[in-house]
């Protein structure tokens, strides 16, 4: 006898698990199938969480080595205990993935370990180590996420030539680490290993880092990361990695526009040129769903082309971010339960957790210029913020963009300590369609970094008072 459900979700990452919890809260009979062995998906197991655990620890390690003395803190020689640093990362992952199992129980979600495959409308097969069973369901949600985009000619072995997954678990600090791609993963994980002692060379195909982010922000970030010791080779492509010498890798570089090649040595190469949707073996053909040229499943308010089959998260369009997947999962469950689920794609923040951090929401200045939209801009440097000065963290600025006529906030872009937390204020303001004046006239606590946000908002109307 097959079991029957209101909703079966395939994939237990931020898209799938949040969809499952919300569906459970709304009284639906729901199961979530996950093949990895633990819940939480890429985010908790090999993404957001382990990378942030290493970013936090490595930032403290660097601060202890370079900043403590000037603050009057004397220590002995600072030494790296890499196994312990990796161990605390694994503990964070373990605790949080188990936490989701607890949340499933609390919200009446059935967790099914195995690989899910759509057999047809309302039928999903689960393969648990070769033992198969079939579930009957009114609705199916696809939340199978994404995987690393491979680079033709470069074979990832997760030891010397690694993806982000291997780079989260290197057993030794590489002497030289070459990153292919100056995107979010490269800059975050490159920062980790640079702080722990690696020489980091960043090879980027384009003539800028962090494509898609506001270019003024990206330029400022590149200057700061270069000062920290990262060596950027922009407008350059990797054409091959020779692994034949067990002592050293040979990485061949070429100008992106063609020209003479150059070979550099490396101990480790990190391939981080993006991620692609993962839908392998999912049985999409059994319900007539076709993916687009890049492998994404198209959706209209999370509905796929097949009746009662829905899709959320990295395997459908939009930014590949955990909180985007989460919001889609929640809204999708609400729609399935007959409620009004909605995601505002204009207000999805993006954060790069380097030091300083970068945070963005809404339109970039480049986009507004391209659109020909009249806008005003307020910008405030952390150099003029009292808390940033007392914390010796004066790198960066806050920039707020508002409509020239209505003053509605259209976007905000920040680089500086803790801006990943501070961006939420502007997200909320934008959800309420606030004007820059609304933020400028809101009392902010002193002395805090958030005062820079207020001063930048004042700057939109030309009355920043502290710079
Ligand atoms: P996933 O998290 O990929 O989950 C999909 C799950 O489905 C997987 O666990 C997979 O095993 C399972 N699955 C696939 N096929 C099947 C099947 N047939 N049957 C059963 N299960 C299946 N985003 C942020 O917002 N902030 C960050 O700081 C951040 N840091 C990141 C750092 C790294 C190194 C990486 C790689 C990613 C990071 N991301 C970050 C991106 C974030 O991890 C993803 O956007 C997010 O995990 C997407 O969620 P998802 O639920 O769509 O997919
Ligand atoms: P990305 O898209 O952020 O950056 C990839 C970079 O590689 C780009 O700059 C691109 O121009 C470059 N590139 C592409 N092909 C290249 C080539 N052949 N040679 C050299 N450079 C090349 O991708 P990522 O850094 O791999 O991250 C993947 C996804 O994971 C992103 O979508 C990101 O949203 C998500 N992520 C988010 C966070 C965060 O939110 N803090 C952290 C890590 C990952």
């Amino acid at each position: 006898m097959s079991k029957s459900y209101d909703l079966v979700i395939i994939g237990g990452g931020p898209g799938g698990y949040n969809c499952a919890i919300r569906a459970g809260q709304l009284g639906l009979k729901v199961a979530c199938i996950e093949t990895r062995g633990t819940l939480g998906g890429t985010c908790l197991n090999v993404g957001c969480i382990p990378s942030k655990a290493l970013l936090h620890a490595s930032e403290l390690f660097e601060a202890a080595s370079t900043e403590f003395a000037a603050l009057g803190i004397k220590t002995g020689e600072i030494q790296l205990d890499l196994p312990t640093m990796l161990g605390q990362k694994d503990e964070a992952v373990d605790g949080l993935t188990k936490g989701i199992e607890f949340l499933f129980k609390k919200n009446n979600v059935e967790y099914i370990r195995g690989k899910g495959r759509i057999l047809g409308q309302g039928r999903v097969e689960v393969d648990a180590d070769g033992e198969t069973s079939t579930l009957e369901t009114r609705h199916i949600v696809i939340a199978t996420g994404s995987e690393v985009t491979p680079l033709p000619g470069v074979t990832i072995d997760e030891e010397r030539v690694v993806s982000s997954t291997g780079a989260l678990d290197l057993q030794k600090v590489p002497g030289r680490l070459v990153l292919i791609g100056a995107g979010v993963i490269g800059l975050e994980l490159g920062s980790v290993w640079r702080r722990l002692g690696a020489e980091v060379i960043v090879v980027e195909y384009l003539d800028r880092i962090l494509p898609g982010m506001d270019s003024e922000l990206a330029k400022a970030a590149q200057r700061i990361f270069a000062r920290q010791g990262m060596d950027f080779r922009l407008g350059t492509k990797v054409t091959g990695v020779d692994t034949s010498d067990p002592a050293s890798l040979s990485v061949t570089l070429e100008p992106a526009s063609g020209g003479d090649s150059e070979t550099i040595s490396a101990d480790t190469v990190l391939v981080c040129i993006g991620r692609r949707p993962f839908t392998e073996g999912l049985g999409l053909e059994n319900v007539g769903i076709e993916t687009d040229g890049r492998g994404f499943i198209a959706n209209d308010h999370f509905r796929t082309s097949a009746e009662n089959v829905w899709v959320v998260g990295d395997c459908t369009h939009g930014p590949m971010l955990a909180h985007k997947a989460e919001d889609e999962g929640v809204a999708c469950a609400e729609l399935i339960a007959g409620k009004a689920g909605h995601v505002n794609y204009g207000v999805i923040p993006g954060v790069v957790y380097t030091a300083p951090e970068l945070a963005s929401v809404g339109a970039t200045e480049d986009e507004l210029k391209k659109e020909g939209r009249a806008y005003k801009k307020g910008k405030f440097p952390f150099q003029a913020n009292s808390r940033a000065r007392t914390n010796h963290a004066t790198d960066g600025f806050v920039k707020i963009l508002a409509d020239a006529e209505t003053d509605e906030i259209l976007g905000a872009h920040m680089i500086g300590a803790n801006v990943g937390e501070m961006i939420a204020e502007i997200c909320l303001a934008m959800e309420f369609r606030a004007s820059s004046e609304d933020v400028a006239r809101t009392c902010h606590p002193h002395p805090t970094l958030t005062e820079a946000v207020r001063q930048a908002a004042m700057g939109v109307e030309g009355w920043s008072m502290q710079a």
Side-chain angles (χ1 to χ4, degrees):
M1 262 275 290
S2 58
K3 284 175 95 175
S4 86
Y5 299 87
D6 293 319
L7 169 60
V8 166
I9 298 162
I10 309 177
Y17 80 72
N18 284 294
C19 184
I21 290 171
R22 188 73 186 115
Q25 284 178 344
L26 294 171
L28 298 178
K29 187 167 185 232
V30 56
C32 180
I33 311 171
E34 171 57 59
T35 183
R36 185 186 292 273
T38 49
L39 290 168
T42 303
C43 172
L44 266 68
N45 290 281
V46 288
C48 324
I49 295 304
S51 58
K52 269 78 244 177
L54 291 183
L55 280 157
H56 176 68
S58 62
E59 193 175 341
L60 290 179
F61 175 77
E62 188 173 47
S65 317
T66 61
E67 293 172 32
F68 277 17
L71 296 172
I73 304 169
K74 281 195 175 176
T75 57
E77 189 196 348
I78 306 293
Q79 283 184 321
L80 175 64
D81 174 358
L82 187 57
T84 300
M85 196 179 279
L86 295 175
Q88 60 86 35
K89 171 211 51 158
D90 294 338
E91 270 172 33
V93 168
D94 193 49
L96 287 168
T97 53
K98 292 212 174 89
I100 297 176
E101 284 188 44
F102 163 79
L103 292 174
F104 271 15
K105 284 193 192 116
K106 185 176 165 204
N107 292 288
N108 300 320
V109 177
E110 189 179 338
Y111 170 24
I112 301 178
R113 291 175 174 79
K115 189 165 169 55
R117 191 167 76 95
I118 302 172
L119 294 177
Q121 205 190 335
R123 286 192 313 131
V124 178
E125 178 191 77
V126 182
D127 181 341
D129 295 327
E131 223 171 273
T132 59
S133 56
T134 303
L135 314 177
E136 306 283 339
T137 179
R138 285 199 299 127
H139 297 270
I140 298 169
V141 173
I142 300 170
T144 48
S146 62
E147 61 177 355
V148 174
T149 303
L151 180 60
V154 179
T155 308
I156 292 174
D157 60 22
E158 296 297 15
E159 284 191 7
R160 293 201 298 163
V161 183
V162 297
S163 71
S164 52
T165 302
L168 288 166
D169 218 21
L170 297 179
Q171 299 301 308
K172 200 172 142 225
V173 179
R176 180 185 278 176
L177 170 65
V178 171
L179 312 177
I180 311 179
V184 198
I185 290 182
L187 295 172
E188 288 187 354
L189 295 180
S191 293
V192 166
W193 294 106
R194 183 198 58 71
R195 292 167 187 166
L196 300 182
E199 177 195 355
V200 174
I201 299 178
V202 190
V203 183
E204 166 60 49
Y205 188 81
L206 301 175
D207 59 2
R208 58 163 292 174
I209 69 168
L210 295 168
M213 272 201 136
D214 186 274
S215 56
E216 187 181 12
L217 206 62
K219 257 193 215 127
Q222 191 190 326
R223 255 197 317 272
I224 295 167
F225 299 147
R227 198 178 69 211
Q228 292 173 350
M230 281 193 186
D231 178 359
F232 288 97
R233 310 282 176 94
L234 302 186
T236 304
K237 61 184 175 195
V238 169
T239 53
V241 179
D242 183 352
T243 58
S244 55
D245 180 351
S248 175
L249 301 167
S250 292
V251 184
T252 307
L253 313 180
E254 212 180 275
S257 51
D260 292 343
S261 63
E262 172 196 1
T263 300
I264 57 172
S265 64
D267 300 290
T268 307
V269 170
L270 166 56
V271 181
C272 44
I273 58 165
R275 293 179 64 82
R276 63 183 186 187
F278 180 77
T279 56
E280 200 183 281
L282 192 55
L284 293 179
E285 64 285 358
N286 296 333
V287 278
I289 296 176
E290 286 184 11
T291 56
D292 72 9
R294 291 164 57 216
F296 289 98
I297 300 172
N299 84 84
D300 176 11
H301 293 87
F302 326 116
R303 286 181 174 84
T304 67
S305 58
E307 207 185 334
N308 293 341
V309 182
W310 308 68
V311 62
V312 298
D314 277 11
C315 60
T316 189
H317 295 122
M320 286 185 165
L321 294 173
H323 42 281
K324 175 263 193 187
E326 171 184 350
D327 278 21
E328 289 185 338
V330 168
C332 181
E334 288 172 343
L335 288 175
I336 290 170
K339 296 191 171 294
H342 176 69
V343 174
N344 179 359
Y345 290 96
V347 186
I348 296 187
V351 176
V352 186
Y353 295 87
T354 43
E357 292 180 345
L358 284 84
S360 272
V361 64
T364 63
E365 221 178 324
D366 318 72
E367 284 165 348
L368 295 177
K369 279 183 189 150
K370 204 167 155 199
E371 249 177 60
R373 178 125 183 215
Y375 67 94
K376 294 176 293 181
K377 163 175 167 177
K379 193 175 158 192
F380 191 82
F382 281 107
Q383 181 68 35
N385 172 274
S386 56
R387 187 62 183 277
R389 289 180 76 113
T390 53
N391 289 358
H392 310 285
T394 51
D395 274 336
F397 57 83
V398 174
K399 175 164 89 171
I400 294 180
L401 307 170
D403 186 273
E405 215 166 294
T406 64
D407 193 31
E408 179 177 351
I409 298 175
L410 303 174
H413 308 282
M414 313 180 183
I415 175 166
N418 292 343
V419 295
E421 306 284 343
M422 287 153 60
I423 196 75
E425 170 182 358
I426 300 296
C427 297
L428 188 62
M430 287 178 71
E431 280 292 349
F432 282 94
R433 302 196 63 179
S435 63
S436 78
E437 188 179 356
D438 289 325
V439 175
R441 295 199 181 273
T442 300
C443 188
H444 285 62
H446 174 77
T448 62
L449 299 171
T450 66
E451 287 173 286
V453 176
R454 184 185 195 185
Q455 292 289 326
M458 288 172 165
V460 172
E461 296 283 349
W463 63 290
S464 290
M465 293 171 61
Q466 289 162 9

